[in-house]
Amino acid sequence: MPPKTRARGAKATRGGEAKSSRAAGTKRVPARSTVGEESTQRSKRAKPNNSSSALNRAPADGDSDRDEEEKRIEVVAKKYWLGNKVKWSPEVVDELMKTHIVGKRFSRGSLRALERLQYFERYLWANFVPDTASDTQVISMLVMLNEKHQEKLASTLWASFASSEEETGGSDSKAAHSFSAFFDYQLSARSILTQFLIACFSSLETPFVRDSCMKLVSLSIWHHVDSEPLVEAEFARTPQLRKFWKHLNKKLKPGKKNDAEEVQRLQNGRDFLSLFIKDFLAAVFSAKPSDKGCLAYGAKFLELLVDLESQLPTRRYVNILVVDHQVIDLCQLSSWYREDQSDSRQAQRFRELVVQLRKSVYFQVNDVTGQALTEAEAKDAHYNRLVELQAMAYKEFPKELEDLAVSSVAKLGEPDVLTGYLGKLSDESLLRFASLVGVRTHSVLPTSVKADFVSDKEEGTYSRQFVVGAIAERYKRRPTVADQVREISPYPTETLLFDEIIRETDQYGKQPMSVAFSLNLQFLSLHDYLARNFDLFRLESAYEIREDVEDAVRRLQPRMTYDSSADATVAGGQGVDASTDVNNTHFSGWARMAVPIHSFGVVDVQRPRIGETAPSRVRADVSIDLGNHVESIRQEWATEVRPKDVLILIAVQATGHGDKGSAGGHLGIKHIRGGEVECKLDINGKPIDEFANRLNPQETRADREAASSSVCSFRLLLDPNQYYSDTSGEGEGQDDVYATFNVVMRRRPQENNFKAVLETVRDLMLAPQSLPSWLSSTFLGYGDPAAATALSQRPLLASSSSEEKEETTESVRVNFGDTFLSEEHLRESFSEYGEIAIDDEFAKPCIVEFPVGGDEEKSKTTIRVSSKPAVDMGPLELSKPRENAIRFTPAQVSAIHSASLPGLTLVVGPPGTGKTDVAVQIISNLYHAFPKQNILLITHSNQALNQLFEKIIALDIEPRHLLRLGHGEEELDAEERYSKAGRVESYLERRRELLDQVQTLAESMGVHGDFGYTCETARLFFVSHVRVRWELYRRRITGGTGPSAASPDDVVGEFPFAQFFAQALGRPLFDGAVEDVGRLVCAAEGCYRHIESIFDELGDIQPFELLRTNHERSNYLLTNQARIVAMTCTHAALKRRELIRLGFRYDNVVMEEAAQVLDIETFIPLALQPTTQGSGAGRRLKRVVMIGDHNQLPPVVKNSGLRAYANMEQSLFTRMVRLGVPYIELNKQARARPEIASLYRGRYQNLGDLEPQVTEGEFAQRNNSGFKSVFQFVDVADFQGKGETEPTKYYYQNLGEAEYVVAVYQYMRLLGYPAQSIAILTTYNGQRALIRDVLERRCGWLEHFGRPRAISTVDQYQGQQSDYVLLSLVRTRAVGHVRDLRRLTVALSRARLGLYVFGRRSVFETCFELQAPMRRLLENGDRLALCPEEQFGAGSSEDEDEDEELRKERAVWGVVEMGQIVFGMIEKYVEAHGTAPVAAPAAGNESGEDEDDDEEAEKEANGVLEGEEEG
């Protein structure tokens, strides 16, 4: 047993703490306080600085080579195109292609350098002349465009082409003319063309790209379909196609009416794809798998075909051509496909793509109409085709195929059976049979290519075996998408986690990838959408789990022991059941999230359901011993592992003492499985039931005993299908997987939702259509993009719902509630309308009537404004309505208007434009306008949801109708609790209050009895006494219909509830001075309404009185009482099954942060209620409001390949914008100074400033104290001979920028800036950690410096803001991922009053995408301009000369000079204040960072966090 030195997880004491304490007694300013003084002292001592030894590593050889290559390219660029005058030379293009592109084997470093230096924009495209351009120039252009596409530079990919339509047209003709020339090039050049076409067909939302590319996949390509029955079958299904076909044939025939050049152009487009396919197939059978570039080209071409098959506009006519040319059959016969000849990873990738292409070709959808086939329809279509085959066989071959004609239809779907029947046909009959069923019999390969499947008897004809196989493949029964998904386990396995495909996605850009499916604009069907997201989300979750597993196993440090005793001893005395292996494994390390298993066993395997083979349920118990861990870790395992959480079971077998494993050996990991926690177990192995513990004191004692024990046990639910698969093959020599587990790992709750999401997606695939008919087509990307938008739905409002029946076909009435502050505000909001007619006078709630239909301009139309009379609720103003106080802009009003109408509303909210306020007003208006409708509120993060919910609470909304689901509710800043338990408690408290009022009312009326006992007795009292007395009073006073001749004394004296209200008010109810009978009657009616509302509310509360458990009450609250339900998208995925089971219903969905949510996580909240059968017209969902900003950062996807290659980072919001769905963009910002807003203003259509908000108060000051400008770019040179460094992969740091930023922070604090108004941001996690270290070293000794508001990455700070931002860009060799303009927009828009950016000017200034913001940033120079004599908050002096002296500028020429300035200021501060240095508080305790920063720091030491990788 290893010696017990200290508990696992305890931290060693840092020696530096004692040193800090000793320093506390001196007043001398230490040299480490600034980089300037430390550099001075170092230079005097002539000794190197060892404070950052990890950063002073020499660059690797690969880095040196890369630097030299970039320098050589930069020399050429400056000479020929980056100077004032471009020097065009075709020889330069040839040389660059030869030396730096082909010569470097298309190195990403060389291509990135050329792309960054604007080789395409300023040289290739600027000097492109279609008639004279060389092939090398065209290929170079395609190479650079491919690089842009791979780098995800969507903003500039097609910008140069779109700038000139004339040049674009020339380019298209040149490209079309040159495509055929590529077939004569080497395979590498054809790969370039293929990649370019992939980029084109993934950008069909760009008009000129769509116009050019769709000509290559139009109906005319059927000219090359040899199988006439295939074409005729399509003509029979869609007769209109025959007319188009005839029209196309006329245009393609040369003649007097047709221009020869136009005919040639059309023919080139018609022939291209068929020639390309034939060229590919020829290469497949003429080149060997070992030939250079052949498999890469093959994979690229198959990827192109998969992309064409995956979008309906391109699939519509391509699918028949692919089937006719028998691409799949021929690829399977090639040496590239056969395993015995091609076992490389590239060959495996080729085979995977062939399988993917087969799935795409035979996907269950109508190719022409796009109508998706259900599972039953797909099976019916398959059997109908077999029946037609039998009928044709009986008619044409009655003797030879008699057995086939009478065979079982189900059997014919098996290839072996159909092959046996066709074997009876002669060669001639077989060829005729193939032609009748539409199977090509003549080879598409050129005669020069010899293949064994081409007949020797008749040249160019396929062999008998090939034809029979092709027919059998055509009629093969294929599993549906749902069949395939049912068998997939949602839990990870070692096969999935360590599959090559995940390694490839992690190495995106450095090697080919084999993920065939990606998320683009359009999907074939909802099943197609769900299947792609299922696969990609599964890969992403596997990638994240693999990182966690590898990190945990490394920390546990598995070691081999040669002890053959019964039990192997593990670290800290923990035992694990002995394995049959002689070499047992023990663990000498520790991990926070993973511990060795004390015991594990499968305890329950239930019988399979009828018709199934896998068990219906499998349970297992796992125990861990935490006796050797610190208390905090024991508490985490005891409290943070909850039911429904997923634990990862790992079997680790060390391969040798001290062996840490390798990537190839997976760290000794043999098996990985998952299990869902069903419950915790006590020390006796019995489930711990919290409710039973409260009822049974004996259970409570057992619970206390379990808490005192170091052993923690859980019961897990294993995946039955996986368990059956693991155990059914044990007899074949396989290991007993479940006897080898020796490690269990948990994950953070926010990262452990993969199983719920995957199961939810799987449920949706097996369920009926989950979307309403009005949204379905737009969601899949077809039809009119505006068809589903709210303003396009106006003519349909009359039949949308009973609550909207008041609408007519001529007008639409929209209830704006309290949106408008005044009549002036209303008129300002609708100034584009010709006339605004207001009935009577302006009042709230405001109802606006808009005309429907017609093509009249708004300036010629009239809108009518009315108001809904306020209902008098009596004199008790206990809950006075809270009204809106925000003066919404016209754009915001337009968004609120659109969201009030049924349909889809997209709202783009640039930074600081009030997205949250708009969302809150939308919810308020829907709540009041449609009392019978429910609203579902969704956000991406708990923080955003709480901010939104807090504003909703402040509105005039009944608290009893609000519900906040999820664990983030405890962080809500509100007096009441809005969780399910909190709302139930509030209902019961409210019940007591209302019953007390009922009892008081009864006593005031002189009615004796305990009527305030229950809601039932209160209701009886209302019916038998309150209502009776009111009716009698009303008849006496009003005569039953209206005011009578009753006197004021009669109205006052006869009122039966006067005493009740007098007691509540503390004064008489009626003022004796009022003589108007009508007013008195109205007051009496208002009082009765108030009383009636008490009993109505008790009626709503009565079910909570009848239901006996809080669980039942919570469910009833959710499904029947809550009208506004708020949750995160993650919670929606976790709880969908439960919500469906409870019958949860909602009518409207409002989604904030929509651009930060994954596409599939956006879809799930739209499908949280049970679906209905039929066409979907009667589905309940009426409105979908999505609010976000696609110009800011997208959802976080950690895997770089899935993020960039598979486009998984695309949100549904962004996809809708790309599709052209109309959206409303808010256009007035009130966050930042206009000067700062100008840095990102160009990213939006018409972003202005909201005045006077941005010109008054703190914005009125011209400049920031101590600085010459409110924003500036500061050029940071190499510090200590270094720029950026990379201690570990993707872990970028820049010591010079870190020192500079911290020195400026010190400078601001010494001037008096509040620490909480300053945020330090950077673009990399490595730099964030470095800045923290530097800040601790420079500022930790003096308490005055404190800690800034935040030290964070740009990605993590999205959605937050600070008055002043210091931004470090880090990179000095390449631009890095800040080149993504979305990230740059976030970085520049976090500051309100001051922004100071630190970076390398020469790197960022030459980047094409960053030119506009860099020009603006550099307007104030690239040297930090300070005014050191000016103090923060001092204000302007009356003496202009004194002001001028204070504003005297000083330019800082580097980080060392900045440190010297700060050091001098520190000396003055210490001298003036007599402040002695003190030990600094723990880093981060004032910075607002997350509590788990220590865990992030541990991960950072081993690699990168989210958003860190470069594409």
Side-chain angles (χ1 to χ4, degrees), residues 397 400-401 421-436 439-442 454-458 461-468 471:
F397 307 94
E400 299 96 320
L401 298 180
Y421 289 136
L422 296 179
K424 300 177 182 179
L425 293 175
S426 63
D427 291 350
E428 182 179 352
S429 298
L430 180 63
L431 293 178
R432 191 164 71 88
F433 182 90
S435 64
L436 290 173
V439 174
R440 188 185 190 109
T441 58
H442 296 284
V454 178
S455 176
D456 297 332
K457 300 179 181 179
E458 187 175 349
T461 302
Y462 289 125
S463 65
R464 177 185 183 89
Q465 182 180 2
F466 179 87
V467 174
V468 171
I471 297 173

Side-chain angles (χ1 to χ4, degrees), residues 400-592:
E400 299 96 320
L401 298 180
E402 181 180 1
D403 293 341
L404 184 152
V406 298
S407 173
S408 168
V409 175
K411 284 290 184 180
L412 287 179
E414 301 176 9
D416 292 342
V417 174
L418 185 57
T419 299
Y421 289 136
L422 296 179
K424 300 177 182 179
L425 293 175
S426 63
D427 291 350
E428 182 179 352
S429 298
L430 180 63
L431 293 178
R432 191 164 71 88
F433 182 90
S435 64
L436 290 173
V437 297
V439 174
R440 188 185 190 109
T441 58
H442 296 284
S443 175
V444 297
L445 300 177
T447 56
S448 58
V449 177
K450 303 298 181 183
D452 54 5
F453 52 81
V454 178
S455 176
D456 297 332
K457 300 179 181 179
E458 187 175 349
E459 186 176 355
T461 302
Y462 289 125
S463 65
R464 177 185 183 89
Q465 182 180 2
F466 179 87
V467 174
V468 171
I471 297 173
E473 176 69 20
R474 188 77 59 84
Y475 288 93
K476 178 182 178 181
R477 183 187 180 277
R478 306 179 193 283
T480 62
V481 176
D483 291 335
Q484 300 171 32
V485 173
R486 284 191 185 101
E487 304 301 324
I488 300 177
S489 171
Y491 295 114
T493 64
E494 69 281 358
T495 304
L496 174 63
L497 261 59
F498 298 103
D499 194 292
E500 284 293 324
I501 190 172
I502 295 188
R503 183 182 63 82
E504 289 173 357
T505 56
D506 191 29
Q507 298 292 324
Y508 173 70
K510 299 182 179 179
Q511 60 184 13
M513 288 182 56
S514 55
V515 182
F517 274 155
S518 61
L519 303 182
N520 203 8
L521 291 176
Q522 300 171 319
F523 300 92
L524 297 177
S525 67
L526 191 59
H527 269 193
D528 177 40
Y529 168 83
L530 293 170
R532 294 195 208 184
N533 278 280
F534 184 90
D535 290 339
L536 294 178
F537 194 91
R538 187 164 174 256
L539 289 175
E540 166 69 4
S541 60
Y543 171 79
E544 296 177 4
I545 293 171
R546 189 187 73 170
E547 285 191 324
D548 292 344
V549 168
E550 290 180 339
D551 177 71
V553 173
R554 285 194 188 99
R555 294 177 184 274
L556 287 173
Q557 299 178 20
R559 298 289 188 267
M560 179 187 294
T561 177
Y562 296 93
D563 184 8
S564 58
S565 60
D567 288 338
T569 303
V570 299
Q574 300 172 26
V576 62
D577 293 348
S579 170
T580 55
D581 297 332
V582 176
N583 299 331
N584 294 307
T585 300
H586 77 275
F587 303 93
S588 59
W590 68 276
R592 192 183 200 96

Side-chain angles (χ1 to χ4, degrees), residues 1075-1088:
E1075 298 291 338
D1076 188 346
V1077 174
R1079 290 179 59 187
L1080 291 174
V1081 171
C1082 288
E1085 291 176 343
C1087 291
Y1088 178 73

Side-chain angles (χ1 to χ4, degrees), residues 97 143 986 1042 1271 1298:
M97 172 65 74
V143 168
S986 296
F1271 69 84

Side-chain angles (χ1 to χ4, degrees), residues 619-805:
R619 290 187 175 95
D621 290 350
V622 59
S623 297
I624 54 177
D625 191 347
L626 301 169
N628 204 36
H629 289 72
V630 295
E631 180 63 22
S632 61
I633 295 181
R634 289 200 295 267
Q635 286 297 321
E636 287 177 3
W637 278 92
T639 60
E640 293 187 7
V641 180
R642 304 166 179 169
K644 302 296 183 181
D645 285 351
V646 175
L647 297 180
I648 307 299
L649 304 169
I650 311 170
V652 181
Q653 181 63 52
T655 56
H657 185 70
D659 184 12
K660 295 184 180 180
S662 61
H666 307 317
L667 299 168
I669 297 171
K670 295 180 63 178
H671 304 293
I672 296 177
R673 297 292 183 270
E676 181 183 288
V677 177
E678 183 181 28
C679 61
K680 297 179 182 179
L681 303 177
D682 60 18
I683 56 177
N684 299 318
K686 296 181 179 180
I688 298 176
D689 189 335
E690 295 181 1
F691 181 73
N693 287 346
R694 289 195 297 269
L695 298 180
N696 189 342
Q698 184 65 32
E699 287 292 324
T700 303
R701 287 194 295 272
D703 191 19
R704 286 197 296 269
E705 292 175 3
S708 63
S709 173
S710 62
V711 177
C712 191
S713 302
F714 306 95
R715 177 154 292 167
L716 306 181
L717 295 175
L718 305 180
D719 182 61
N721 291 322
Q722 186 65 57
Y723 179 82
Y724 177 76
S725 175
D726 291 335
T727 57
S728 60
E730 288 182 8
E732 303 173 6
Q734 296 183 6
D735 294 336
D736 181 5
V737 174
Y738 298 91
T740 61
F741 295 131
N742 53 2
V743 174
V744 61
M745 185 187 80
R746 64 185 176 91
R747 305 180 71 220
R748 297 180 182 180
Q750 62 268 31
E751 299 173 351
N752 205 26
N753 63 341
F754 68 94
K755 176 179 178 289
V757 175
L758 291 175
E759 287 184 336
T760 296
V761 176
R762 186 166 60 182
D763 292 346
L764 288 169
M765 296 178 72
L766 301 176
Q769 176 78 3
S770 304
L771 288 174
S773 56
W774 60 266
L775 181 60
S776 181
S777 296
T778 302
F779 181 86
L780 296 176
Y782 303 119
D784 181 9
T789 56
L791 296 178
S792 299
Q793 297 285 313
R794 281 184 179 179
L796 306 178
L797 292 181
S799 59
S800 59
S801 73
S802 59
E803 293 180 62
E804 293 158 357
K805 286 294 185 181

